Amino acid sequence: MKLLFLGTSAGRPTLVRNVTSIALQLPDPHHRFWLFDVGEGTQHQLLRTKLKLNRLERIFITHMHGDHTYGLPGLLGSRTYYDGAGRLQIFGPPGIRSFIDHAMAASQLHLNYDLEITEVEEGRLPLEDDLFTVETAELHHRIRCFGYRISERPRPGRLDLAKLAQLGVPPGPLYGKLKLGEDIVLPSGETIRSVDVVGAPVPGRILTILGDTAPCEAAVRLAEDADLLVHEATFNAGLEEKAVAYGHSTIAQAAETAAQAKAKRLAVTHFSARYSEEDVERFAAENQSIFPNIVAARDYLELPF
């Protein structure tokens, strides 16, 4: 899996940063992706990538501020021009359904695919998926805002190939059955138990993407033991009062949240337009003493994990 940052600016775009959107590219062979927030211009950002809207499966909106939502009506409309665009699920805070319904009605937008909208509250989302579970919690912002924790389900353990050869199990479909937990019977009549030739399940990866937020307990809880945490970092140190007044965080506060949560990696994003590219890189480096594995996101940055 990997993340692709499509917009990393706070509030308004700059010449080098668009407003917020992040794509999660799912493992092969699915070739699907999810979007987290759809700021204005997101569909234009997508045109410069290999991602196609007919492979977009789900959208998660953190909150209703325009720099996270104004690209949504245009993207939904453009998706109708892509062959094979199937059902699209949207999850977001209360108000997301009204926003989409009014935009579609006022512009007479008609979609040629099924659109499902779910307004979220805290807890586990109603996702029908064999690969992932998604949890959400409300953060501390000026309006209702949610963070998302995406947990990959445990994967089957490794096959003991040496033992399978010793037992006389021929490579092929029987290997697949054993890996999926099924016992098999050889032509000789001997039963081979999956538990005897498959290792322990491999823990799934955890990704946490937070919306706009001041430091809060919910952010730490969602990010606990995450392989990758994406945290807003609108301001640098020295602007803590301004950050809390607007429901935002400094880069140092994002690093502190990652450290408290024992996350493995931190990507900071959503930077104030007052900062240059060089400023942001320097700020991230200065906060490695709080959390060493920190990276400052930029538009089109890809982070495999």
Side-chain angles (χ1 to χ4, degrees):
M1 293 192 293
K2 66 181 177 181
L3 280 191
L4 172 61
F5 288 85
L6 298 168
T8 55
S9 182
R12 58 186 173 90
T14 71
L15 289 175
V16 294
R17 294 182 185 272
N18 198 47
V19 285
T20 298
S21 187
I22 304 171
L24 170 61
Q25 297 174 255
L26 302 180
D28 292 339
H30 306 283
H31 304 295
R32 297 173 294 158
F33 73 99
W34 298 353
L35 281 179
F36 292 82
D37 287 330
V38 187
E40 181 182 1
T42 293
Q43 65 171 315
H44 294 273
Q45 298 290 89
L46 282 168
L47 291 174
R48 297 179 177 90
T49 75
K50 295 181 180 180
L51 300 177
K52 304 300 181 185
L53 287 177
N54 56 358
R55 307 305 297 175
L56 174 61
E57 183 180 53
R58 294 183 175 122
I59 296 174
F60 299 84
I61 301 297
T62 61
H63 63 295
M64 294 304 301
H65 278 154
D67 59 320
H68 297 254
T69 60
Y70 283 171
L72 194 51
L75 183 143
L76 295 180
S78 293
R79 192 172 183 265
T80 63
Y81 294 97
Y82 285 77
D83 293 335
R87 181 185 68 159
L88 178 64
Q89 293 178 296
I90 298 179
F91 299 88
I96 187 65
R97 182 184 301 277
S98 175
F99 173 75
I100 293 172
D101 286 349
H102 279 83
M104 290 179 61
S107 62
Q108 297 187 27
L109 172 60
H110 301 283
L111 306 181
N112 62 359
Y113 56 86
D114 293 333
L115 182 65
E116 295 182 6
I117 303 172
T118 301
E119 297 192 336
V120 307
E121 297 291 346
E122 293 211 17
R124 183 169 163 178
L125 296 184
L127 292 176
E128 297 178 6
D129 199 309
D130 294 333
L131 296 178
F132 303 95
T133 60
V134 180
E135 300 169 78
T136 184
E138 188 166 352
L139 304 172
H140 182 69
H141 193 45
R142 288 182 295 163
I143 62 174
R144 295 196 73 184
C145 183
F146 292 85
Y148 296 97
R149 177 185 175 93
I150 302 92
S151 301
E152 185 182 32
R153 297 186 189 276
R155 289 162 285 163
R158 294 182 180 275
L159 288 170
D160 187 335
L161 299 180
K163 190 169 185 178
L164 288 168
Q166 181 183 357
L167 292 170
V169 180
L174 294 180
Y175 276 27
K177 290 184 177 182
L178 288 166
K179 194 170 179 67
L180 292 174
E182 297 180 33
D183 297 338
I184 64 170
V185 180
L186 298 179
S188 64
E190 181 182 4
T191 297
I192 307 298
R193 299 193 310 160
S194 173
V195 68
D196 293 332
V197 294
V198 180
V202 179
R205 293 157 287 190
I206 299 173
L207 167 67
T208 300
I209 297 179
L210 303 180
D212 292 2
T213 186
C216 63
E217 188 275 334
V220 176
R221 187 172 72 252
L222 285 174
E224 184 176 1
D225 297 322
D227 292 278
L228 177 60
L229 165 63
V230 179
H231 197 302
E232 72 119 287
T234 307
F235 299 109
N236 191 34
L239 292 176
E240 287 80 8
E241 289 188 9
K242 189 178 186 69
V244 73
Y246 288 93
H248 289 299
S249 295
T250 66
I251 294 183
Q253 289 170 336
E256 289 165 357
T257 294
Q260 292 173 28
K262 296 182 173 59
K264 297 179 179 66
R265 195 177 185 192
L266 169 65
V268 285
T269 185
H270 197 270
F271 306 113
S272 169
R274 73 187 65 197
Y275 301 127
S276 69
E277 301 293 278
E278 294 75 16
D279 289 336
V280 168
E281 293 292 338
R282 176 166 51 85
F283 298 157
E286 289 170 353
N287 285 283
Q288 288 179 334
S289 58
I290 301 174
F291 188 83
N293 198 1
I294 180 174
V295 60
R298 61 183 183 278
D299 286 22
Y300 301 112
L301 174 68
E302 292 187 357
L303 288 183
F305 69 100

